Amino acid sequence: ETLEFARKSREEGYEVIIAAAGMAAHLPGFIAANTTLPVIGVPIASTLNGLDALLSICQMPPGIPVATMAINGAKNAALFAVEILALKYESLQKKLLEYREEMRKKVIEKNQPKP
């Protein structure tokens, strides 16, 4: 089923794939080897605190890249996918800018001296 999904993902309308996996973490690489869509890998902490998954995902052979996020970094994977899609969809670019402005405001607010 995973092979069929990866091979048909582009024709099915997918534009970016996020694949999370733990331990030996074959999933992101397997999908990347069977599609030309960008694949974002998220290593999940299981054994070795997720370092095994991190290394498995980021050490793909030449020609089969997988963008690799931090261990348990699903939020950044989602944001990175939105950044990729924002190249095509202007509405996403606008939402990203708004999101980052909100983050900036929260940081400034947290750094204000408390009375």
Side-chain angles (χ1 to χ4, degrees):
E1 288 182 20
T2 304
L3 178 60
E4 186 177 337
F5 165 77
R7 288 185 174 166
K8 291 184 175 182
S9 57
R10 185 179 291 277
E11 67 187 60
E12 294 284 334
Y14 292 89
E15 297 180 61
V16 179
I17 297 172
I18 298 172
M23 298 168 46
H26 296 89
L27 183 64
F30 181 81
I31 291 173
N34 288 287
T35 186
T36 56
L37 293 175
V39 176
I40 303 168
V42 180
I44 302 299
S46 53
T47 58
L48 302 177
N49 295 319
L51 289 175
D52 49 346
L54 174 66
L55 293 172
S56 292
I57 295 171
C58 74
Q59 292 294 328
M60 288 301 297
I64 308 295
V66 175
T68 308
M69 298 296 118
I71 296 167
N72 297 331
K75 182 176 181 177
N76 273 353
L79 288 168
F80 190 61
V82 171
E83 288 177 344
I84 292 169
L85 294 170
L87 294 169
K88 180 178 179 182
Y89 301 102
E90 194 173 312
S91 62
L92 291 178
Q93 173 65 15
K94 182 180 176 191
K95 289 180 181 181
L96 272 172
L97 291 170
E98 290 169 0
Y99 174 78
R100 290 198 177 170
E101 178 61 21
E102 285 301 313
M103 285 184 2
R104 186 186 75 78
K105 287 178 182 177
K106 286 179 183 177
V107 168
I108 290 171
E109 190 176 290
K110 285 181 182 180
N111 284 316
Q112 294 299 315
K114 297 190 178 142

mmCIF file with all atom_site columns, all heavy atoms in Angstrom, residues 42-67:
data_model
loop_
_atom_site.group_PDB
_atom_site.id
_atom_site.type_symbol
_atom_site.label_atom_id
_atom_site.label_alt_id
_atom_site.label_comp_id
_atom_site.label_asym_id
_atom_site.label_entity_id
_atom_site.label_seq_id
_atom_site.pdbx_PDB_ins_code
_atom_site.Cartn_x
_atom_site.Cartn_y
_atom_site.Cartn_z
_atom_site.occupancy
_atom_site.B_iso_or_equiv
_atom_site.pdbx_formal_charge
_atom_site.auth_seq_id
_atom_site.auth_comp_id
_atom_site.auth_asym_id
_atom_site.auth_atom_id
_atom_site.pdbx_PDB_model_num
ATOM 1   N N   . VAL A 1 42 ? 10.273 13.112 9.570  1.00 0.00 ? 42 VAL A N   1
ATOM 2   C CA  . VAL A 1 42 ? 10.240 13.480 10.986 1.00 0.00 ? 42 VAL A CA  1
ATOM 3   C C   . VAL A 1 42 ? 10.659 12.264 11.799 1.00 0.00 ? 42 VAL A C   1
ATOM 4   O O   . VAL A 1 42 ? 9.912  11.285 11.891 1.00 0.00 ? 42 VAL A O   1
ATOM 5   C CB  . VAL A 1 42 ? 8.828  13.936 11.425 1.00 0.00 ? 42 VAL A CB  1
ATOM 6   C CG1 . VAL A 1 42 ? 8.832  14.316 12.905 1.00 0.00 ? 42 VAL A CG1 1
ATOM 7   C CG2 . VAL A 1 42 ? 8.339  15.088 10.578 1.00 0.00 ? 42 VAL A CG2 1
ATOM 8   N N   . PRO A 1 43 ? 11.862 12.299 12.382 1.00 0.00 ? 43 PRO A N   1
ATOM 9   C CA  . PRO A 1 43 ? 12.268 11.186 13.232 1.00 0.00 ? 43 PRO A CA  1
ATOM 10  C C   . PRO A 1 43 ? 11.504 11.215 14.553 1.00 0.00 ? 43 PRO A C   1
ATOM 11  O O   . PRO A 1 43 ? 11.328 12.276 15.148 1.00 0.00 ? 43 PRO A O   1
ATOM 12  C CB  . PRO A 1 43 ? 13.765 11.428 13.454 1.00 0.00 ? 43 PRO A CB  1
ATOM 13  C CG  . PRO A 1 43 ? 14.020 12.842 13.067 1.00 0.00 ? 43 PRO A CG  1
ATOM 14  C CD  . PRO A 1 43 ? 12.883 13.308 12.224 1.00 0.00 ? 43 PRO A CD  1
ATOM 15  N N   . ILE A 1 44 ? 11.027 10.059 14.953 1.00 0.00 ? 44 ILE A N   1
ATOM 16  C CA  . ILE A 1 44 ? 10.251 9.939  16.184 1.00 0.00 ? 44 ILE A CA  1
ATOM 17  C C   . ILE A 1 44 ? 11.106 9.256  17.245 1.00 0.00 ? 44 ILE A C   1
ATOM 18  O O   . ILE A 1 44 ? 11.738 8.232  16.976 1.00 0.00 ? 44 ILE A O   1
ATOM 19  C CB  . ILE A 1 44 ? 8.960  9.126  15.935 1.00 0.00 ? 44 ILE A CB  1
ATOM 20  C CG1 . ILE A 1 44 ? 8.113  9.777  14.849 1.00 0.00 ? 44 ILE A CG1 1
ATOM 21  C CG2 . ILE A 1 44 ? 8.161  8.943  17.226 1.00 0.00 ? 44 ILE A CG2 1
ATOM 22  C CD1 . ILE A 1 44 ? 7.632  11.179 15.150 1.00 0.00 ? 44 ILE A CD1 1
ATOM 23  N N   . ALA A 1 45 ? 11.107 9.810  18.430 1.00 0.00 ? 45 ALA A N   1
ATOM 24  C CA  . ALA A 1 45 ? 11.880 9.228  19.532 1.00 0.00 ? 45 ALA A CA  1
ATOM 25  C C   . ALA A 1 45 ? 11.278 7.894  19.927 1.00 0.00 ? 45 ALA A C   1
ATOM 26  O O   . ALA A 1 45 ? 10.095 7.792  20.210 1.00 0.00 ? 45 ALA A O   1
ATOM 27  C CB  . ALA A 1 45 ? 11.904 10.177 20.725 1.00 0.00 ? 45 ALA A CB  1
ATOM 28  N N   . SER A 1 46 ? 12.099 6.883  19.895 1.00 0.00 ? 46 SER A N   1
ATOM 29  C CA  . SER A 1 46 ? 11.707 5.565  20.395 1.00 0.00 ? 46 SER A CA  1
ATOM 30  C C   . SER A 1 46 ? 12.943 4.985  21.064 1.00 0.00 ? 46 SER A C   1
ATOM 31  O O   . SER A 1 46 ? 13.246 5.358  22.180 1.00 0.00 ? 46 SER A O   1
ATOM 32  C CB  . SER A 1 46 ? 11.156 4.682  19.266 1.00 0.00 ? 46 SER A CB  1
ATOM 33  O OG  . SER A 1 46 ? 12.074 4.630  18.190 1.00 0.00 ? 46 SER A OG  1
ATOM 34  N N   . THR A 1 47 ? 13.685 4.150  20.388 1.00 0.00 ? 47 THR A N   1
ATOM 35  C CA  . THR A 1 47 ? 14.944 3.679  20.957 1.00 0.00 ? 47 THR A CA  1
ATOM 36  C C   . THR A 1 47 ? 16.016 4.732  20.712 1.00 0.00 ? 47 THR A C   1
ATOM 37  O O   . THR A 1 47 ? 15.892 5.572  19.826 1.00 0.00 ? 47 THR A O   1
ATOM 38  C CB  . THR A 1 47 ? 15.361 2.347  20.318 1.00 0.00 ? 47 THR A CB  1
ATOM 39  O OG1 . THR A 1 47 ? 15.484 2.535  18.917 1.00 0.00 ? 47 THR A OG1 1
ATOM 40  C CG2 . THR A 1 47 ? 14.337 1.257  20.598 1.00 0.00 ? 47 THR A CG2 1
ATOM 41  N N   . LEU A 1 48 ? 17.033 4.727  21.502 1.00 0.00 ? 48 LEU A N   1
ATOM 42  C CA  . LEU A 1 48 ? 18.144 5.680  21.388 1.00 0.00 ? 48 LEU A CA  1
ATOM 43  C C   . LEU A 1 48 ? 17.685 7.136  21.369 1.00 0.00 ? 48 LEU A C   1
ATOM 44  O O   . LEU A 1 48 ? 18.299 7.986  20.744 1.00 0.00 ? 48 LEU A O   1
ATOM 45  C CB  . LEU A 1 48 ? 18.993 5.380  20.145 1.00 0.00 ? 48 LEU A CB  1
ATOM 46  C CG  . LEU A 1 48 ? 19.623 3.990  20.052 1.00 0.00 ? 48 LEU A CG  1
ATOM 47  C CD1 . LEU A 1 48 ? 20.374 3.826  18.746 1.00 0.00 ? 48 LEU A CD1 1
ATOM 48  C CD2 . LEU A 1 48 ? 20.552 3.740  21.244 1.00 0.00 ? 48 LEU A CD2 1
ATOM 49  N N   . ASN A 1 49 ? 16.578 7.421  22.024 1.00 0.00 ? 49 ASN A N   1
ATOM 50  C CA  . ASN A 1 49 ? 16.015 8.776  22.099 1.00 0.00 ? 49 ASN A CA  1
ATOM 51  C C   . ASN A 1 49 ? 15.767 9.395  20.733 1.00 0.00 ? 49 ASN A C   1
ATOM 52  O O   . ASN A 1 49 ? 15.751 10.605 20.588 1.00 0.00 ? 49 ASN A O   1
ATOM 53  C CB  . ASN A 1 49 ? 16.913 9.688  22.941 1.00 0.00 ? 49 ASN A CB  1
ATOM 54  C CG  . ASN A 1 49 ? 16.972 9.263  24.381 1.00 0.00 ? 49 ASN A CG  1
ATOM 55  O OD1 . ASN A 1 49 ? 15.965 8.879  24.956 1.00 0.00 ? 49 ASN A OD1 1
ATOM 56  N ND2 . ASN A 1 49 ? 18.155 9.296  24.970 1.00 0.00 ? 49 ASN A ND2 1
ATOM 57  N N   . GLY A 1 50 ? 15.589 8.580  19.723 1.00 0.00 ? 50 GLY A N   1
ATOM 58  C CA  . GLY A 1 50 ? 15.297 9.074  18.389 1.00 0.00 ? 50 GLY A CA  1
ATOM 59  C C   . GLY A 1 50 ? 16.517 9.321  17.517 1.00 0.00 ? 50 GLY A C   1
ATOM 60  O O   . GLY A 1 50 ? 16.374 9.636  16.337 1.00 0.00 ? 50 GLY A O   1
ATOM 61  N N   . LEU A 1 51 ? 17.715 9.174  18.081 1.00 0.00 ? 51 LEU A N   1
ATOM 62  C CA  . LEU A 1 51 ? 18.918 9.412  17.274 1.00 0.00 ? 51 LEU A CA  1
ATOM 63  C C   . LEU A 1 51 ? 19.048 8.413  16.136 1.00 0.00 ? 51 LEU A C   1
ATOM 64  O O   . LEU A 1 51 ? 19.512 8.761  15.049 1.00 0.00 ? 51 LEU A O   1
ATOM 65  C CB  . LEU A 1 51 ? 20.171 9.381  18.152 1.00 0.00 ? 51 LEU A CB  1
ATOM 66  C CG  . LEU A 1 51 ? 20.334 10.570 19.094 1.00 0.00 ? 51 LEU A CG  1
ATOM 67  C CD1 . LEU A 1 51 ? 21.544 10.380 19.993 1.00 0.00 ? 51 LEU A CD1 1
ATOM 68  C CD2 . LEU A 1 51 ? 20.457 11.865 18.313 1.00 0.00 ? 51 LEU A CD2 1
ATOM 69  N N   . ASP A 1 52 ? 18.625 7.175  16.371 1.00 0.00 ? 52 ASP A N   1
ATOM 70  C CA  . ASP A 1 52 ? 18.671 6.181  15.301 1.00 0.00 ? 52 ASP A CA  1
ATOM 71  C C   . ASP A 1 52 ? 17.777 6.602  14.143 1.00 0.00 ? 52 ASP A C   1
ATOM 72  O O   . ASP A 1 52 ? 18.165 6.536  12.971 1.00 0.00 ? 52 ASP A O   1
ATOM 73  C CB  . ASP A 1 52 ? 18.292 4.793  15.817 1.00 0.00 ? 52 ASP A CB  1
ATOM 74  C CG  . ASP A 1 52 ? 17.011 4.777  16.640 1.00 0.00 ? 52 ASP A CG  1
ATOM 75  O OD1 . ASP A 1 52 ? 16.528 5.862  17.050 1.00 0.00 ? 52 ASP A OD1 1
ATOM 76  O OD2 . ASP A 1 52 ? 16.492 3.677  16.903 1.00 0.00 ? 52 ASP A OD2 1
ATOM 77  N N   . ALA A 1 53 ? 16.577 7.084  14.452 1.00 0.00 ? 53 ALA A N   1
ATOM 78  C CA  . ALA A 1 53 ? 15.654 7.536  13.412 1.00 0.00 ? 53 ALA A CA  1
ATOM 79  C C   . ALA A 1 53 ? 16.204 8.770  12.697 1.00 0.00 ? 53 ALA A C   1
ATOM 80  O O   . ALA A 1 53 ? 16.136 8.865  11.467 1.00 0.00 ? 53 ALA A O   1
ATOM 81  C CB  . ALA A 1 53 ? 14.285 7.835  14.013 1.00 0.00 ? 53 ALA A CB  1
ATOM 82  N N   . LEU A 1 54 ? 16.748 9.699  13.451 1.00 0.00 ? 54 LEU A N   1
ATOM 83  C CA  . LEU A 1 54 ? 17.315 10.913 12.862 1.00 0.00 ? 54 LEU A CA  1
ATOM 84  C C   . LEU A 1 54 ? 18.401 10.569 11.851 1.00 0.00 ? 54 LEU A C   1
ATOM 85  O O   . LEU A 1 54 ? 18.392 11.054 10.710 1.00 0.00 ? 54 LEU A O   1
ATOM 86  C CB  . LEU A 1 54 ? 17.882 11.817 13.958 1.00 0.00 ? 54 LEU A CB  1
ATOM 87  C CG  . LEU A 1 54 ? 18.626 13.064 13.490 1.00 0.00 ? 54 LEU A CG  1
ATOM 88  C CD1 . LEU A 1 54 ? 17.680 14.031 12.798 1.00 0.00 ? 54 LEU A CD1 1
ATOM 89  C CD2 . LEU A 1 54 ? 19.310 13.738 14.657 1.00 0.00 ? 54 LEU A CD2 1
ATOM 90  N N   . LEU A 1 55 ? 19.328 9.717  12.251 1.00 0.00 ? 55 LEU A N   1
ATOM 91  C CA  . LEU A 1 55 ? 20.420 9.355  11.349 1.00 0.00 ? 55 LEU A CA  1
ATOM 92  C C   . LEU A 1 55 ? 19.926 8.562  10.147 1.00 0.00 ? 55 LEU A C   1
ATOM 93  O O   . LEU A 1 55 ? 20.422 8.744  9.029  1.00 0.00 ? 55 LEU A O   1
ATOM 94  C CB  . LEU A 1 55 ? 21.498 8.577  12.112 1.00 0.00 ? 55 LEU A CB  1
ATOM 95  C CG  . LEU A 1 55 ? 22.235 9.402  13.171 1.00 0.00 ? 55 LEU A CG  1
ATOM 96  C CD1 . LEU A 1 55 ? 23.148 8.519  14.000 1.00 0.00 ? 55 LEU A CD1 1
ATOM 97  C CD2 . LEU A 1 55 ? 23.010 10.538 12.523 1.00 0.00 ? 55 LEU A CD2 1
ATOM 98  N N   . SER A 1 56 ? 18.948 7.701  10.343 1.00 0.00 ? 56 SER A N   1
ATOM 99  C CA  . SER A 1 56 ? 18.405 6.931  9.222  1.00 0.00 ? 56 SER A CA  1
ATOM 100 C C   . SER A 1 56 ? 17.775 7.847  8.180  1.00 0.00 ? 56 SER A C   1
ATOM 101 O O   . SER A 1 56 ? 17.917 7.623  6.980  1.00 0.00 ? 56 SER A O   1
ATOM 102 C CB  . SER A 1 56 ? 17.348 5.944  9.709  1.00 0.00 ? 56 SER A CB  1
ATOM 103 O OG  . SER A 1 56 ? 17.933 4.942  10.497 1.00 0.00 ? 56 SER A OG  1
ATOM 104 N N   . ILE A 1 57 ? 17.072 8.871  8.634  1.00 0.00 ? 57 ILE A N   1
ATOM 105 C CA  . ILE A 1 57 ? 16.368 9.749  7.699  1.00 0.00 ? 57 ILE A CA  1
ATOM 106 C C   . ILE A 1 57 ? 17.328 10.713 7.003  1.00 0.00 ? 57 ILE A C   1
ATOM 107 O O   . ILE A 1 57 ? 17.233 10.933 5.797  1.00 0.00 ? 57 ILE A O   1
ATOM 108 C CB  . ILE A 1 57 ? 15.234 10.507 8.413  1.00 0.00 ? 57 ILE A CB  1
ATOM 109 C CG1 . ILE A 1 57 ? 14.163 9.520  8.897  1.00 0.00 ? 57 ILE A CG1 1
ATOM 110 C CG2 . ILE A 1 57 ? 14.612 11.554 7.488  1.00 0.00 ? 57 ILE A CG2 1
ATOM 111 C CD1 . ILE A 1 57 ? 13.102 10.132 9.805  1.00 0.00 ? 57 ILE A CD1 1
ATOM 112 N N   . CYS A 1 58 ? 18.276 11.262 7.733  1.00 0.00 ? 58 CYS A N   1
ATOM 113 C CA  . CYS A 1 58 ? 19.136 12.288 7.117  1.00 0.00 ? 58 CYS A CA  1
ATOM 114 C C   . CYS A 1 58 ? 20.282 11.699 6.296  1.00 0.00 ? 58 CYS A C   1
ATOM 115 O O   . CYS A 1 58 ? 20.905 12.417 5.529  1.00 0.00 ? 58 CYS A O   1
ATOM 116 C CB  . CYS A 1 58 ? 19.650 13.266 8.163  1.00 0.00 ? 58 CYS A CB  1
ATOM 117 S SG  . CYS A 1 58 ? 20.917 12.636 9.244  1.00 0.00 ? 58 CYS A SG  1
ATOM 118 N N   . GLN A 1 59 ? 20.531 10.410 6.414  1.00 0.00 ? 59 GLN A N   1
ATOM 119 C CA  . GLN A 1 59 ? 21.643 9.794  5.678  1.00 0.00 ? 59 GLN A CA  1
ATOM 120 C C   . GLN A 1 59 ? 21.163 9.048  4.432  1.00 0.00 ? 59 GLN A C   1
ATOM 121 O O   . GLN A 1 59 ? 21.616 7.953  4.142  1.00 0.00 ? 59 GLN A O   1
ATOM 122 C CB  . GLN A 1 59 ? 22.400 8.832  6.603  1.00 0.00 ? 59 GLN A CB  1
ATOM 123 C CG  . GLN A 1 59 ? 23.152 9.527  7.710  1.00 0.00 ? 59 GLN A CG  1
ATOM 124 C CD  . GLN A 1 59 ? 24.294 10.375 7.189  1.00 0.00 ? 59 GLN A CD  1
ATOM 125 O OE1 . GLN A 1 59 ? 24.922 10.080 6.196  1.00 0.00 ? 59 GLN A OE1 1
ATOM 126 N NE2 . GLN A 1 59 ? 24.573 11.466 7.875  1.00 0.00 ? 59 GLN A NE2 1
ATOM 127 N N   . MET A 1 60 ? 20.286 9.655  3.680  1.00 0.00 ? 60 MET A N   1
ATOM 128 C CA  . MET A 1 60 ? 19.809 9.029  2.447  1.00 0.00 ? 60 MET A CA  1
ATOM 129 C C   . MET A 1 60 ? 20.921 9.036  1.397  1.00 0.00 ? 60 MET A C   1
ATOM 130 O O   . MET A 1 60 ? 21.772 9.924  1.402  1.00 0.00 ? 60 MET A O   1
ATOM 131 C CB  . MET A 1 60 ? 18.583 9.773  1.918  1.00 0.00 ? 60 MET A CB  1
ATOM 132 C CG  . MET A 1 60 ? 17.328 9.559  2.740  1.00 0.00 ? 60 MET A CG  1
ATOM 133 S SD  . MET A 1 60 ? 16.845 7.829  2.846  1.00 0.00 ? 60 MET A SD  1
ATOM 134 C CE  . MET A 1 60 ? 16.521 7.471  1.131  1.00 0.00 ? 60 MET A CE  1
ATOM 135 N N   . PRO A 1 61 ? 20.883 8.060  0.510  1.00 0.00 ? 61 PRO A N   1
ATOM 136 C CA  . PRO A 1 61 ? 21.927 8.011  -0.523 1.00 0.00 ? 61 PRO A CA  1
ATOM 137 C C   . PRO A 1 61 ? 21.785 9.173  -1.505 1.00 0.00 ? 61 PRO A C   1
ATOM 138 O O   . PRO A 1 61 ? 20.691 9.729  -1.657 1.00 0.00 ? 61 PRO A O   1
ATOM 139 C CB  . PRO A 1 61 ? 21.673 6.669  -1.223 1.00 0.00 ? 61 PRO A CB  1
ATOM 140 C CG  . PRO A 1 61 ? 20.272 6.305  -0.907 1.00 0.00 ? 61 PRO A CG  1
ATOM 141 C CD  . PRO A 1 61 ? 19.946 6.947  0.411  1.00 0.00 ? 61 PRO A CD  1
ATOM 142 N N   . PRO A 1 62 ? 22.866 9.550  -2.165 1.00 0.00 ? 62 PRO A N   1
ATOM 143 C CA  . PRO A 1 62 ? 22.793 10.624 -3.161 1.00 0.00 ? 62 PRO A CA  1
ATOM 144 C C   . PRO A 1 62 ? 21.715 10.328 -4.196 1.00 0.00 ? 62 PRO A C   1
ATOM 145 O O   . PRO A 1 62 ? 21.579 9.203  -4.674 1.00 0.00 ? 62 PRO A O   1
ATOM 146 C CB  . PRO A 1 62 ? 24.185 10.611 -3.803 1.00 0.00 ? 62 PRO A CB  1
ATOM 147 C CG  . PRO A 1 62 ? 25.070 9.994  -2.769 1.00 0.00 ? 62 PRO A CG  1
ATOM 148 C CD  . PRO A 1 62 ? 24.212 8.993  -2.041 1.00 0.00 ? 62 PRO A CD  1
ATOM 149 N N   . GLY A 1 63 ? 20.925 11.349 -4.507 1.00 0.00 ? 63 GLY A N   1
ATOM 150 C CA  . GLY A 1 63 ? 19.878 11.222 -5.499 1.00 0.00 ? 63 GLY A CA  1
ATOM 151 C C   . GLY A 1 63 ? 18.488 11.010 -4.923 1.00 0.00 ? 63 GLY A C   1
ATOM 152 O O   . GLY A 1 63 ? 17.500 11.149 -5.628 1.00 0.00 ? 63 GLY A O   1
ATOM 153 N N   . ILE A 1 64 ? 18.398 10.672 -3.651 1.00 0.00 ? 64 ILE A N   1
ATOM 154 C CA  . ILE A 1 64 ? 17.097 10.463 -2.995 1.00 0.00 ? 64 ILE A CA  1
ATOM 155 C C   . ILE A 1 64 ? 17.063 11.327 -1.730 1.00 0.00 ? 64 ILE A C   1
ATOM 156 O O   . ILE A 1 64 ? 17.210 10.833 -0.614 1.00 0.00 ? 64 ILE A O   1
ATOM 157 C CB  . ILE A 1 64 ? 16.871 8.974  -2.625 1.00 0.00 ? 64 ILE A CB  1
ATOM 158 C CG1 . ILE A 1 64 ? 17.083 8.057  -3.821 1.00 0.00 ? 64 ILE A CG1 1
ATOM 159 C CG2 . ILE A 1 64 ? 15.468 8.787  -2.043 1.00 0.00 ? 64 ILE A CG2 1
ATOM 160 C CD1 . ILE A 1 64 ? 16.068 8.248  -4.949 1.00 0.00 ? 64 ILE A CD1 1
ATOM 161 N N   . PRO A 1 65 ? 16.892 12.648 -1.892 1.00 0.00 ? 65 PRO A N   1
ATOM 162 C CA  . PRO A 1 65 ? 16.920 13.513 -0.710 1.00 0.00 ? 65 PRO A CA  1
ATOM 163 C C   . PRO A 1 65 ? 15.626 13.426 0.105  1.00 0.00 ? 65 PRO A C   1
ATOM 164 O O   . PRO A 1 65 ? 14.545 13.223 -0.438 1.00 0.00 ? 65 PRO A O   1
ATOM 165 C CB  . PRO A 1 65 ? 17.084 14.911 -1.300 1.00 0.00 ? 65 PRO A CB  1
ATOM 166 C CG  . PRO A 1 65 ? 16.440 14.802 -2.644 1.00 0.00 ? 65 PRO A CG  1
ATOM 167 C CD  . PRO A 1 65 ? 16.715 13.400 -3.129 1.00 0.00 ? 65 PRO A CD  1
ATOM 168 N N   . VAL A 1 66 ? 15.794 13.581 1.406  1.00 0.00 ? 66 VAL A N   1
ATOM 169 C CA  . VAL A 1 66 ? 14.669 13.716 2.334  1.00 0.00 ? 66 VAL A CA  1
ATOM 170 C C   . VAL A 1 66 ? 15.006 14.887 3.247  1.00 0.00 ? 66 VAL A C   1
ATOM 171 O O   . VAL A 1 66 ? 16.040 14.873 3.914  1.00 0.00 ? 66 VAL A O   1
ATOM 172 C CB  . VAL A 1 66 ? 14.452 12.432 3.177  1.00 0.00 ? 66 VAL A CB  1
ATOM 173 C CG1 . VAL A 1 66 ? 13.371 12.652 4.214  1.00 0.00 ? 66 VAL A CG1 1
ATOM 174 C CG2 . VAL A 1 66 ? 14.096 11.249 2.289  1.00 0.00 ? 66 VAL A CG2 1
ATOM 175 N N   . ALA A 1 67 ? 14.159 15.907 3.250  1.00 0.00 ? 67 ALA A N   1
ATOM 176 C CA  . ALA A 1 67 ? 14.352 17.006 4.197  1.00 0.00 ? 67 ALA A CA  1
ATOM 177 C C   . ALA A 1 67 ? 14.093 16.430 5.586  1.00 0.00 ? 67 ALA A C   1
ATOM 178 O O   . ALA A 1 67 ? 13.083 15.774 5.804  1.00 0.00 ? 67 ALA A O   1
ATOM 179 C CB  . ALA A 1 67 ? 13.385 18.144 3.900  1.00 0.00 ? 67 ALA A CB  1
#
